[in-house]
Amino acid sequence: MKFLPVAEPDLRGNERKYVMDCIDSTWISSLGKYITEFEEKFSSYCGAGYGVSVFNGTVALHLALAALGIGKGHEVIVPDFTFIATANAVTYTGARPVFVDADKNTWNIDVAKIMEKITPKTKAIIPVHLYGHPCDMGPILEIARENRLFVVEDCAEAHGAEYKGKKVGSLGDVGCFSFYGNKILTTGEGGMCVTNDEKLVKRMRFLKDHGMTRPYYYHPEVGFNFRMTNLQAAIGLAQLERIDDIIATKIKHAKLYRKLLDRTPGITFQPEEPYAKSVFWLHSILVEGDFRCSRDELMKELKEAGIDSRPFFIPMHELPPYKGNGFPIASGLSRKGVNLPSSTLLVEEDIKRVCDVIKGK
Ligand SMILES: Cc1ncc(COP(=O)(O)O)c(C=O)c1O
């Protein structure tokens, strides 16, 4: 029986050709034509003026926050229900992540609960576009403007997603992407910061390359080595050529999952809000009250049928580094959620097989 993974890179385009070009030309390190082209084309795809490539999504967030001057004594608003990298990036700068519960409909940050967490120390908000669904950015940008806060979008899971017709990443001060192997667009490991702010770009380029200015080896500050390689960028560029197809397949699969599981008692999906175009990074369900078994039992059944799945993230306040309380929605989502096979290499029959197991057939 064919094993169905939750995620699998879809490398059916020019990925091999461009990587071989790097090898044949010996440009395999962090200089080269693919880096510049990938930065230009990906940022322009997002509707932003500039792109700064880095070696993963976590350091994209770290770099953006550091370049905005966020550090010790500062606070940054982060959703409680996210992958830990969002919170860790804040911690790496010396600032403190301050968590906000999830919205029970969208699963994203509850915008109505942001204001009560703002203090004189707050410097930024990091909305996370979870599972490919954009946050309600209008009110978030409004709160940020009124309180003079930066908005750093965590777009790790949402390449190409749109809020009111505008692509995520271009809505706040800076957008941070991950190109990890399970993401909508992958470079193996990789990441990028996109922005329209020329000053911020200069600062990010400086910090990501050991804080070096010219002449060579002059370092006025302690920087980082966050550079992406030409090899990664070569894969990214080939992926970008096919991003419309990749997203169209994600949307087609999301519709099929919804159709096949429609009216299955106790199964709900992340809804697509009227302001949103989701890119359905992972096909995710909540397994609730009147479903025929528990979430964990369902995951066991899937495993026995050769089908991979993942539980939802554990919310930040339940993890040792960020222990806290008062986030009931995030806790509830975490206990009920399952990520189903979401690769664009799946065919209709595969999705039917997953849904049959869920329906107990
Ligand atoms: C919401 C979110 N933020 C940040 C990251 C970090 O990206 P990376 O794994 O490329 O460091 C991820 C995923 O891995 C993520 O899902």
Side-chain angles (χ1 to χ4, degrees):
M1 202 191 322
K2 180 175 152 196
F3 173 72
L4 302 181
V6 167
E8 193 177 7
D10 179 345
L11 305 171
R12 293 176 287 186
N14 284 320
E15 287 82 354
R16 177 189 297 266
K17 182 174 154 201
Y18 294 168
V19 167
M20 290 316 292
D21 182 38
C22 294
I23 290 171
D24 292 341
S25 65
T26 76
W27 287 93
I28 59 166
S29 198
S30 52
L31 288 174
K33 65 177 184 186
Y34 290 108
I35 299 206
T36 350
E37 198 173 341
F38 184 42
E39 286 180 339
E40 279 170 17
K41 291 197 168 151
F42 185 74
S43 54
S44 142
Y45 170 79
C46 298
Y50 309 93
V52 179
S53 59
V54 290
F55 67 73
N56 64 49
T58 309
V59 299
L61 288 162
H62 185 178
L63 181 66
L65 293 166
L68 289 168
I70 288 161
K72 203 162 182 290
H74 297 154
E75 292 175 354
V76 176
I77 304 278
V78 171
D80 185 54
F81 185 52
T82 182
F83 181 61
I84 195 167
T86 321
N88 282 351
V90 175
T91 305
Y92 300 151
T93 67
R96 190 171 76 88
V98 173
F99 299 109
V100 171
D101 204 358
D103 178 291
K104 77 175 182 329
N105 295 319
T106 65
W107 311 352
N108 280 326
I109 192 165
D110 186 341
V111 179
K113 292 186 182 145
I114 293 179
M115 270 311 291
E116 65 201 54
K117 298 290 176 99
I118 294 176
T119 74
K121 292 180 181 170
T122 313
K123 292 289 170 211
I125 307 175
I126 310 186
V128 180
H129 308 300
L130 212 66
Y131 300 133
H133 189 289
C135 295
D136 191 0
M137 289 301 291
I140 293 174
L141 293 168
E142 184 76 22
I143 292 171
R145 200 174 46 80
E146 279 170 6
N147 295 276
R148 303 168 68 86
L149 307 177
F150 295 115
V151 175
V152 177
E153 291 176 74
D154 185 338
C155 310
E157 306 180 357
H159 318 61
E162 292 175 17
Y163 175 78
K164 296 189 175 170
K166 278 190 83 179
K167 288 219 167 55
V168 299
S170 64
L171 302 158
D173 294 282
V174 50
C176 300
F177 290 83
S178 162
F179 305 129
Y180 179 62
N182 65 4
K183 296 300 190 292
I184 289 191
L185 187 153
T186 186
T187 60
E189 293 275 2
M192 201 181 296
C193 301
V194 305
T195 182
N196 285 310
D197 182 338
E198 204 178 336
K199 243 174 84 188
L200 186 62
V201 169
K202 283 201 180 120
R203 182 88 187 133
M204 290 194 288
R205 289 199 195 289
F206 162 75
L207 284 178
K208 85 163 205 185
D209 189 18
H210 297 290
M212 184 162 66
T213 58
R214 298 294 182 267
Y216 271 95
Y217 311 123
Y218 184 68
H219 307 267
E221 288 176 51
V222 176
F224 313 100
N225 177 358
F226 284 170
R227 299 179 307 238
M228 174 183 267
T229 66
N230 203 39
L231 285 163
Q232 289 168 291
I235 299 175
L237 189 66
Q239 290 265 289
L240 189 60
E241 290 169 354
R242 297 166 46 241
I243 195 161
D244 290 342
D245 284 348
I246 292 172
I247 291 173
T249 306
K250 287 274 186 197
I251 294 171
K252 191 174 90 185
H253 288 175
K255 283 187 180 150
L256 186 60
Y257 267 120
R258 280 161 174 72
K259 188 174 135 210
L260 294 173
L261 293 175
D262 188 31
R263 282 185 242 129
T264 306
I267 295 292
T268 47
F269 287 88
Q270 186 180 29
E272 197 176 23
E273 293 297 305
Y275 55 73
K277 178 188 166 194
S278 176
V279 284
F280 303 99
W281 170 52
L282 290 183
H283 303 298
S284 304
I285 51 171
L286 295 181
V287 178
E288 305 192 75
D290 40 2
F291 187 66
R292 58 182 181 78
C293 65
S294 73
R295 189 270 310 259
D296 292 351
E297 280 158 359
L298 173 63
M299 288 179 67
K300 199 161 154 267
E301 284 181 20
L302 288 165
K303 192 172 176 198
E304 280 160 6
I307 297 166
D308 202 13
S309 67
R310 289 282 182 287
F312 274 16
F313 300 128
I314 298 175
M316 296 305 103
H317 79 278
E318 293 183 16
L319 299 171
Y322 300 118
K323 267 270 173 263
N325 47 47
F327 306 91
I329 307 295
S331 292
L333 290 169
S334 168
R335 275 194 296 273
K336 294 186 270 189
V338 190
N339 305 128
L340 300 171
S342 302
S343 162
T344 51
L345 301 175
L346 296 175
V347 294
E348 243 182 85
E349 273 315 304
D350 299 329
I351 294 175
K352 280 191 188 134
R353 209 178 108 203
V354 179
C355 294
D356 281 349
V357 174
I358 295 172
K359 287 192 275 193
K361 280 192 185 168

